Amino acid sequence: MIGRRSFLITTLMSFGFAFLYIPILSLIVYSFNESRLVTVWAGFSTKWYAELFQNEQLLNAAKLSLEVAAINATGAVILGTLAGFALSRFRRFRGRTLMTGMTSAPLVMPEVITGLSMLLLFVAMEQAFGWPAGRGVTTITIAHITFSMAYVTVVIQSRLASLDVSLEEAAMDLGARPWKVFMVITLPIIFPAILAGWLLAFTLSWDDLVITSFVSGPGSSTLPIVIFSKVRLGVSPDINALATIMVGIVAIGVVATGLYLQHQERRRERDVQAALANHG
Amino acid sequence: MRPVVAGRWAVISLPYLWLLLFFLVPFVIVFKISLSDIRLGMPPYQPMLQWVEAQMVSIQINLGNYAFLFEDPLYRNAYLHSLSTAAVSTFLCLLIGYPMAYGIARTDKSWRNLLLMLVMLPFWTSFLLRVYAWIGILKNNGLINNLLMGMGLIDQPIVMLQTDFAVYIGIVYSYLPFMVLPLYATLEKQDITLLEAAADLGCHPVRAFLAITLPLSMPGVVAGSLLVFIPAVGEFVIPALLGGPDTLMIGKVLWNEFFQNRDWPVASAVAIAMLLLLVVPIMLFQLAQGRQAGGHP
């Protein structure tokens, strides 16, 4: 019996997964409901999808969110990779403790605090140097990069921690410059982690309501802001349709990335084994 | 060696300066504004430093906002209620998350990644929409009440939406992956031979669990609980959508203070007081993170 799951654990586990998925399934099912009353089934219909694609406000907000999320993810990956690299490869530098703190605190910091503090910074900066003038896409992007780079740092740091340093050392011994070592050895190996970090940062930005609400200005309503103002008034079937589309895209994306990463991992293991076999 | 030193300096300083400017400095500003007075205009607070004459600077510090937080029972109740809501939700999260993490860690290796992916998948879909899904489930003519009434178990709908219960459900649901993943990480690493030895010596599985598995998984329990508890204290979206108008949570109070009353100084004071409440758990979390990240040679 040891090492196998007992009946009790299997039951509890299934309960947990049901808890995770029933709400999502209910969103999907009711998005195809004819009736406006979301919880009364009145026959199959795709009319809410048609309505969704005619909603200018939602479409514009989605476009803005995509833009911010893509720029944010790229910025967060650059800064997060640098931070993760610095923390895991440079054991000692002045202010290392502070840097560790600043990269892990955003992971748990309540969003209302982060949002308020970022806004007050932007207002103070505008008063002092006249930049950023007003609030909009720029301030949203800066705020998103700041909190999502912490997540990227964690992902990169844990990947680098499990990476064999001897590969990098060997390249150095053979006379490669640090920059070249990073580009030729480290970067290709941690690429899956960088990709995962990019997707994570993208999702965090795409999804953020609270911090964005503080630092956005008139005319810069992202998708979550529009959704929230609609949802506050109660359930509406076109939001269910929107949720279904988003769940579909994410499911495909996550499965594809998962398969890709698994493939990479297998190839890496094969390469390592082949390399060891050649030496032996 | 010159370019190497320069490169190292650049790698460290770029993210460092970014975080200093956009993460640390803002807290100093929040603190400063929490000590100032509200005024009409933009920005809606009095500057702390004012040039009175050519060389004289007058510093105005106003502790009134903090005194206000102490005097008005609204804030005290909101803080207490946030802490208790976060604690209850964290405990429920642990109750649901532990068997899941344990079950996944004891599943065949080939299935483990799939199950982990299933835990992560909801996290990648919109948080806002997942909270919204519960409105349709919990409301008076929602899924659960329709089901129970259809089966004839109840005649009157049970009021669930706009209660503390709904807020607990929302928090547990949204933060469950953050509980399961660290728990799984510690449970997966555990040496199964310890349990085999215990069984060989005649130890009952339940006792073996309490004596071996649970204590060894404590780092995961602590990390998961902090990942749920700290953000839950300041949660805004969940109480705003699932809680009632009288659900007092400090995140909601701060939001209203800022967006409705436009009282930036009091909102700042609320934020600083919340940070002070959370300083100990955040330090614990940093310690756990540092230990985990520093675990390589």
Side-chain angles (χ1 to χ4, degrees), chain A residues 5 20-21 39 92 95 207 240, chain B residues 16 107 118 127 132 141 173:
Chain A
R5 294 197 319 248
L20 278 180
Y21 281 92
T39 45
R92 227 166 272 218
D207 201 24
N240 284 24
Chain B
Y16 209 114
T107 305
L118 282 176
F127 162 71
Y132 157 78
N141 57 350
Y173 181 65

Side-chain angles (χ1 to χ4, degrees), chain B residues 121-169:
Chain B
L121 194 75
F123 167 75
W124 290 91
T125 66
S126 168
F127 162 71
L128 191 55
L129 290 175
R130 281 183 296 132
V131 175
Y132 157 78
W134 282 99
I135 301 180
I137 297 175
L138 295 175
K139 63 183 184 161
N140 281 353
N141 57 350
L143 207 59
I144 294 180
N145 276 320
N146 279 354
L147 207 68
L148 292 178
M149 294 218 280
M151 290 193 299
L153 289 175
I154 50 170
D155 326 306
Q156 291 277 316
I158 308 171
V159 178
M160 286 178 285
L161 195 61
Q162 305 205 334
T163 62
D164 283 352
F165 171 71
V167 177
Y168 296 150
I169 294 250

Side-chain angles (χ1 to χ4, degrees), chain B residues 186-229:
Chain B
T186 52
L187 285 169
E188 186 247 3
K189 272 187 291 195
Q190 249 171 48
D191 192 352
I192 209 84
T193 54
L194 288 173
L195 290 178
E196 281 167 0
D200 288 347
L201 296 171
C203 182
H204 189 268
V206 173
R207 230 191 111 196
F209 173 80
L210 291 176
I212 299 170
T213 312
L214 192 61
L216 282 177
S217 64
M218 274 327 266
V221 173
V222 171
S225 301
L226 291 171
L227 271 172
V228 176
F229 180 80

